[in-house]
Amino acid sequence: MAGVILDFSFLAGSWPLLAGAAANTVIYSAAALVIGLPAAVVLCLCCLSRQPVLRAFGRFYVSFFRGVPLLVLLLFAYYGVSGVGLSTTPEQAAIAALAVCEAAYLAECMRGGFLAVPKGFVEASLMSGLNRRQNFVYIVLPTAVRLTLPSIINEVTMAIKASSLISVVGIAELTRVSQNLASSTFQ
């Protein structure tokens, strides 16, 4: 059986397309995270709130948007919104769908981090004379951030991977452009 020789010469003319698509992937993922992170903080606070209405809202949002597939959200944000008389661009629909989805996932990561802070840390800091605000700033928040950081980094990776779905609304991102190049050159 003859060895297969790969010819990468076709990539010479494809670099601009691939670079632009990679930039789109990074831009849309970053925009979704920049919008989703502050929303996630608010949602996390809602989920941890002692107010039943806020807690119910936070839990509903997280459950709903973690349960609905991102592809459905993208299609609804682009095609479904036009059914009620609003028009959106593919870019707006992609960023909005990615952001609401990321907000739900990031809120759950943060909630888990705050709930994982040992109660003994809080009690010990309060007994040592720190007030509630100091306790939160110096003890709870740094501990929660340290506990949450791996899952947030994982979610950033998942956001970049999930951005491959934005091609369904007509945005040229890295996966779609690579597939198009592969199908046109058979390599």
Side-chain angles (χ1 to χ4, degrees), residues 143-157:
T143 305
V145 167
R146 189 178 70 239
L147 293 171
T148 304
L149 202 54
S151 61
I152 288 179
I153 291 171
N154 184 47
E155 191 51 42
V156 168
T157 305

Side-chain angles (χ1 to χ4, degrees), residues 8-21:
F8 292 104
S9 61
F10 75 94
L11 285 178
S14 303
W15 282 114
L17 288 173
L18 291 171

Side-chain angles (χ1 to χ4, degrees), residues 40-41 44-45 48 107-119 122 136 139-145 147-148:
V41 170
C44 177
L45 293 174
L48 295 173
E108 195 63 14
C109 293
M110 290 178 203
R111 187 184 71 85
F114 281 108
L115 292 178
V117 175
K119 299 235 184 274
V122 177
F136 181 78
I139 306 298
V140 174
L141 188 60
T143 305
V145 167
L147 293 171
T148 304

